């Protein structure tokens, strides 16, 4: 049976959490102290479920600190990673205690990002002490991203890359 059940209205909708054993993992760790870089379309630090969890970020597309989420995807990913949990609001996160380091890798309104901005985001996150880099983009086959990811892993970090939304296995 689950060892921890968060008190949030949408927990029952989070079928994925029980599928990969999150309730059992939460008995050992909530991710406290971890810094997860979310390389995506930006992040909304003012979102109620992310309040106090978002660190100062970087925009690799503009080379500035504007991480405004112009597509909405980055905020959703950040919530999946580290939304406030047990607060009777919204959703449950995988790492309740983790902090988010937002890295906006695109300014495009359709959310598309270049591999060079993704690689720059990995390097920037490494220089800021991230423990994990999450890239919710299909990055398979990119040598520039693979090189940056290998460098990050050589410092003890973990890089997570999406296979995309095509429904195919890789």
């Amino acid at each position: 049976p689950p060892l921890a059940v968060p008190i949030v209205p949408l927990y029952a909708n989070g079928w994925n959490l029980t599928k990969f054993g999150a309730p059992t993992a939460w008995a050992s760790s909530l991710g406290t102290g971890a810094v997860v870089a979310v390389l995506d379309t930006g992040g909304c630090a003012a979102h109620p479920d992310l309040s106090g969890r978002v660190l100062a970020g970087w925009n690799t597309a503009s080379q500035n600190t504007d991480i405004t989420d112009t597509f909405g995807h980055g905020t959703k990913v950040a919530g999946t990673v580290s939304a406030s949990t047990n607060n009777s609001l919204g959703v449950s996160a995988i790492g309740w205690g983790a902090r988010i380091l937002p890295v906006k890798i695109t300014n495009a309104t359709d959310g598309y990002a270049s591999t060079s901005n993704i690689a720059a985001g990995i390097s920037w996150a490494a220089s800021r002490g991230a423990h994990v880099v999450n890239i919710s983009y299909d990055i398979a086959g990119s040598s520039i991203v693979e090189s940056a990811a290998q460098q990050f892993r050589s410092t003890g970090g973990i890089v997570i890359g999406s296979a995309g939304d095509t429904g195919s296995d890789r």
Side-chain angles (χ1 to χ4, degrees), residues 2 8 12 20 28 35 53 62 64 73 85 87 93 96 113 161-162 164 169:
V8 291
F20 64 76
S28 299
V35 175
R53 298 184 173 289
S62 296
N64 63 32
H73 192 263
T85 303
N87 62 352
W96 309 2
S162 169
D169 292 334

Side-chain angles (χ1 to χ4, degrees), residues 34-111:
V35 175
V36 179
V38 175
L39 279 62
D40 214 294
T41 61
C44 180
H47 190 286
D49 260 347
L50 294 174
S51 180
R53 298 184 173 289
V54 180
L55 302 169
W58 186 248
N59 181 327
T60 62
S62 296
Q63 294 296 299
N64 63 32
T65 58
D66 180 10
I67 59 161
T68 304
D69 193 345
T70 53
F71 193 69
H73 192 263
T75 301
K76 291 175 186 173
V77 171
T80 300
V81 172
S82 184
S84 295
T85 303
N86 272 348
N87 62 352
S88 299
L89 296 173
V91 299
S92 302
I94 296 167
W96 309 2
R99 291 176 293 153
I100 299 295
L101 183 63
V103 183
K104 184 173 181 173
I105 56 174
T106 180
N107 288 327
T109 56
D110 62 6

Side-chain angles (χ1 to χ4, degrees), residues 9-20 22-23 26 91-92:
L10 299 177
Y11 177 71
N13 296 353
W15 59 268
N16 58 318
L17 297 170
T18 55
K19 186 170 182 119
F20 64 76
W26 292 328
V91 299
S92 302

